[in-house]
Amino acid sequence: MKDRLAIVDGVRTPFCKAGTDLASLGADELGRVAVNALLTRTGLDPALVDEVILGCVAQPVDAANVARVVALRAGIPEPVPAITVQRNCASGCEAVTLAQEKLRAGRGSIFIVGGTESMSNIPLLFKRSTAEKFNRLSRAKRLGQRIQVFSSFRPSDFQPRVGLLLGLTDPVCGLNMGETAEVLAREFGISRADQDAFALQSHQRAVAARDKLAEEICPVFNGQSVEGRVTGNGRREPASAASSTRRLSPVALQDNGPRENQSAEALAKLKPVFDRKTGTVTAGNSSQVTDGAVALLVMSEQRAAQLGFTPLGVLAGYAYAGCDPSRMGLGPVFAIARAEAQTGFSLANADLIELNEAFAAQSLAVLKAAQSDQFARKFLGRDRPLGEIPQDKLNVNGGAIALGHPVGSTGARLVLTCLKELHRRKAKRALVTLCVGGGQGAALWVERL
């Protein structure tokens, strides 16, 4: 690919489980912290940035076009434009590939890209009928009219719709993301034991990689009291008001999802969440609902040389592909096949592979589909399968089951993590791939320079 996009460097916040250490910070603040840290780490003059591009799935209503809010608060000059992109779980990837497209179109040569997500602060919603009553109340001018509207409210009006659950449910097929994982578990014959073993490996690898992952992370000060609990609206109650408390750190220094004491026995005790009678997908073998932000400095190879940067690597090719929304977890297989057709890179060319762990069942289904002759012929129009994804190349530093999945940020995190690992191993090429809610897949090939 000509005019390759160089990934100069990157930084991210810790990834913290929703409702914990980063819950008091919105997506705009998490993004600001990451971009500020990136500018500090690289020493780049912010005036040289041509555009800021950030992924965000649950875009905050109080920070419209959150990328612009992040950019201004991080000290990016006002004339520099900013755009927020949304491709569900691949939003962070979309930010990277959009920068590549703008570079090739001559629309800039230096970009700050990445993603930000505060899943703790996805709002609770009133039903439409309740909102209409509040609307009538706001228009009532006389006391009698107000009393009449007040009397029309019922307890059911104050039962909220959970925005997070709505966002994780596909409106086309009617299944939530966990239910799509159950579909794959049944169709590919993936056992509960295999899923739990995959989840345990994710935790073990993430714990073992803590020192390596720390190279990516900047500290985040949340400005909160040390003790308390987070309520449903994302606010903290003091310990005296909390029925149960946990110690909350005023500064987040590392990912808090990986469990050092995770065990097969503990995972086996968890009940299925999405199909309570016969299901196998549990909270333990699913990705964690998480807060976090990532910022990457990307630019043309020529500009990197002019500015004296030695990039981590380059974007060597990419593809997105659609698939059945009820089997959205297979999106990586379709995207990898399309990327191979466009770039010539096959799975055998990858020294490392980062496959986002939306669910253990979904990840294991991708591994099986990639090796299936029947799947290749029926769904990919190929006479041979994609090939094997070896365990010693796959998610070597753990994945989203342990580290978490702040949906707008994960794609950019995978790019950063695998490029740094390529340098440690003095390896050449890595594949980053994700399934995408709504029935899509993303596949990005990156190379170490």
Side-chain angles (χ1 to χ4, degrees), residues 304-375:
Q306 290 173 349
L307 295 172
F309 287 118
T310 301
L312 292 172
V314 293
L315 180 64
Y318 61 93
Y320 298 96
C323 65
D324 178 0
S326 65
R327 295 162 179 81
M328 68 91 200
L330 296 176
V333 186
F334 293 89
I336 293 168
R338 181 170 291 184
E340 180 178 339
Q342 294 176 358
T343 66
F345 296 144
S346 70
L347 288 174
N349 297 123
D351 298 306
L352 292 170
I353 297 172
E354 286 285 345
L355 167 63
N356 188 45
E357 299 170 354
F359 302 90
Q362 166 268 325
S363 298
L364 292 169
V366 168
L367 269 59
K368 288 194 171 188
Q371 296 184 79
S372 169
D373 291 288
Q374 181 181 1
F375 190 94

Side-chain angles (χ1 to χ4, degrees), residues 8-25:
V8 172
D9 205 351
V11 66
R12 65 178 178 91
T13 70
F15 281 9
C16 294
K17 292 179 286 187
T20 63
D21 296 320
L22 299 182
S24 64
L25 306 179

Side-chain angles (χ1 to χ4, degrees), residues 3-9 35 38-39 42-54 71 76-77 79-83 95-96 98-114 295-309 311:
D3 302 320
R4 297 187 304 180
L5 187 75
I7 298 96
V8 172
D9 205 351
V35 173
L38 178 69
L39 293 172
T42 61
L44 180 75
D45 179 356
L48 295 178
V49 177
D50 291 306
E51 191 159 11
V52 176
I53 309 170
L54 296 180
I76 304 295
V80 178
I83 181 173
V96 175
L98 181 57
Q100 170 71 86
E101 291 164 4
K102 285 177 176 285
L103 170 62
R104 299 192 73 185
R107 298 286 183 170
S109 61
I110 300 177
F111 305 90
I112 290 176
V113 304
L296 307 174
L297 175 60
V298 301
M299 61 184 68
S300 68
E301 290 183 272
Q302 181 181 11
R303 287 293 277 151
Q306 290 173 349
L307 295 172
F309 287 118

Side-chain angles (χ1 to χ4, degrees), residues 205-227:
R205 290 183 172 184
V207 170
R210 271 220 162 107
D211 289 342
K212 292 192 290 184
L213 294 173
E215 298 173 12
E216 307 170 4
I217 296 174
C218 64
V220 179
F221 296 88
N222 57 41
Q224 299 297 306
S225 59
V226 175
E227 197 165 310

Side-chain angles (χ1 to χ4, degrees), residues 4 20 46 68 81 85 91 93 108 182 204 223 248 255 390 419 436-437:
R4 297 187 304 180
T20 63
R68 176 63 171 168
V85 295
S91 296
C93 292
E182 290 283 11
Q204 291 171 337
L248 297 170
D255 307 315
L419 279 171
V436 181

Side-chain angles (χ1 to χ4, degrees), residues 188-397:
F188 284 83
I190 300 168
S191 69
R192 167 70 183 273
D194 286 344
Q195 294 174 55
D196 286 351
F198 186 88
L200 179 59
Q201 176 180 268
S202 183
H203 282 278
Q204 291 171 337
R205 290 183 172 184
V207 170
R210 271 220 162 107
D211 289 342
K212 292 192 290 184
L213 294 173
E215 298 173 12
E216 307 170 4
I217 296 174
C218 64
V220 179
F221 296 88
N222 57 41
Q224 299 297 306
S225 59
V226 175
E227 197 165 310
R229 74 176 176 93
V230 178
T231 62
N233 62 5
R235 298 182 181 278
R236 284 198 178 91
E237 290 181 353
S240 59
S243 59
S244 62
T245 64
R246 66 179 297 276
R247 185 159 291 278
L248 297 170
S249 172
V251 57
L253 297 172
Q254 65 179 11
D255 307 315
N256 70 7
R259 300 184 182 94
E260 295 183 6
N261 60 347
Q262 186 62 281
S263 67
E265 293 75 20
L267 288 167
K269 292 178 181 178
L270 299 174
K271 296 181 178 180
V273 176
F274 306 102
D275 180 351
R276 297 185 184 277
K277 291 184 178 180
T278 61
T280 56
V281 179
T282 70
N285 57 42
S286 305
S287 59
Q288 299 179 27
V289 178
T290 311
D291 305 326
V294 183
L296 307 174
L297 175 60
V298 301
M299 61 184 68
S300 68
E301 290 183 272
Q302 181 181 11
R303 287 293 277 151
Q306 290 173 349
L307 295 172
F309 287 118
T310 301
L312 292 172
V314 293
L315 180 64
Y318 61 93
Y320 298 96
C323 65
D324 178 0
S326 65
R327 295 162 179 81
M328 68 91 200
L330 296 176
V333 186
F334 293 89
I336 293 168
R338 181 170 291 184
E340 180 178 339
Q342 294 176 358
T343 66
F345 296 144
S346 70
L347 288 174
N349 297 123
D351 298 306
L352 292 170
I353 297 172
E354 286 285 345
L355 167 63
N356 188 45
E357 299 170 354
F359 302 90
Q362 166 268 325
S363 298
L364 292 169
V366 168
L367 269 59
K368 288 194 171 188
Q371 296 184 79
S372 169
D373 291 288
Q374 181 181 1
F375 190 94
R377 288 192 298 269
K378 183 176 181 180
F379 295 104
L380 303 179
R382 296 164 54 106
D383 58 6
R384 57 182 175 81
L386 293 177
E388 181 186 4
I389 298 178
Q391 287 290 336
D392 61 348
K393 294 182 179 180
L394 176 66
N395 299 353
V396 296
N397 295 313

